[in-house]
Amino acid sequence: MIRSDAARNRAKVLAAAEIVLGEQGLTARMDEIARRAGVGVGTVYRHFATKEALYAAIVSARVDLLLDEAARLRAAAEPQTGFFRFFAQVVADAARKKTLTDALRSAGIDVKAEQAGQRTQMREALADLLRDAQRVGAVRPDVDMPEILALLRGASMAAETGDYSGPVIDRTLAVLFDGLRPLAAHEPLPSA
């Protein structure tokens, strides 16, 4: 078990590293990360032997935050909005992690392979939120996880790789979410 002061230092290093990486990209130096975290560079290296290990830990910590958010949304017992909030949060996170993902790829780190267990947990959390939303009629019953994963991947990739402003992403998600909601009984189905 990690000591509480070591855990605090690790969290400070992760937070500082994410900021420094966002500002400086791949040229970010470990001593600058340590300075911003308010710790010695030795502390950084005790937790993360390489810059790549630090970057991978940042991605992992972000996924953990998303998993915590999914659990919080389920516990809030608001399935009519929880699924959509989580979907939007995942897309927003994708937009913020572009620099980090680029750094990991250039270092030869396969982010997907590093996060296999977390990916499974993310899929389970999303599936739970989807089932809850469908149970209360907030999401069409004919939509399954393959469609949700395809839509989420497309929206996340657009947010990560495109130069879209926040309002454009928000409007795009609104259109996507409208397509996931059930048609009202009185609305005629569009003809092909």
Side-chain angles (χ1 to χ4, degrees), residues 13 16 20 23-24 29-41 44:
V13 169
V20 173
E23 293 171 357
Q24 300 176 11
R29 296 174 37 97
M30 295 292 253
D31 58 342
E32 175 62 13
I33 293 167
R35 187 186 71 72
R36 297 262 191 111
V39 301
V41 73
V44 176

Side-chain angles (χ1 to χ4, degrees), residues 26 52 55-56 59 99-111:
L26 296 175
E52 292 77 17
Y55 296 165
V59 172
T99 303
L100 188 58
T101 303
D102 290 347
L104 290 168
R105 277 192 201 118
S106 72
I109 295 172
D110 182 357
V111 178

Side-chain angles (χ1 to χ4, degrees), residues 8-18 33-34 37 39-40 43-44 47-48 54 58:
R8 280 191 302 276
N9 284 342
R10 185 178 195 281
K12 289 193 300 188
V13 169
L14 286 171
E18 190 166 356
I33 293 167
V39 301
T43 299
V44 176
H47 290 283
F48 310 102
L54 176 57
I58 293 169

Side-chain angles (χ1 to χ4, degrees), residues 53-183:
L54 176 57
Y55 296 165
I58 293 169
V59 172
S60 180
R62 291 177 90 152
V63 173
D64 284 343
L65 288 173
L66 287 170
L67 289 168
D68 291 346
E69 178 65 6
R72 188 193 66 72
L73 288 167
R74 283 202 82 206
E78 296 177 3
Q80 62 277 14
T81 58
F83 169 79
F84 296 110
R85 284 184 184 162
F86 186 68
F87 192 111
Q89 185 64 43
V90 172
V91 172
D93 190 69
R96 287 191 301 269
K97 73 177 185 182
K98 180 180 178 10
T99 303
L100 188 58
T101 303
D102 290 347
L104 290 168
R105 277 192 201 118
S106 72
I109 295 172
D110 182 357
V111 178
K112 289 182 180 182
E114 294 281 325
Q115 296 180 303
Q118 284 182 312
R119 273 201 341 262
T120 299
Q121 291 174 326
M122 282 289 286
R123 284 186 176 155
E124 290 169 359
L126 187 60
D128 290 342
L129 289 165
L130 174 63
R131 276 191 300 276
D132 293 347
Q134 288 174 321
R135 182 177 37 78
V136 298
V139 173
R140 297 165 46 157
D142 61 331
V143 175
D144 291 318
M145 281 301 291
E147 294 86 11
I148 295 301
L149 292 173
L151 292 169
L152 184 58
R153 181 178 208 160
S156 294
M157 287 180 71
E160 182 180 337
T161 61
D163 289 326
Y164 304 110
S165 67
V168 170
I169 292 172
D170 292 344
R171 288 192 305 272
T172 302
L173 286 176
V175 170
L176 190 150
F177 293 165
D178 283 347
L180 290 173
R181 290 185 175 95
L183 294 173

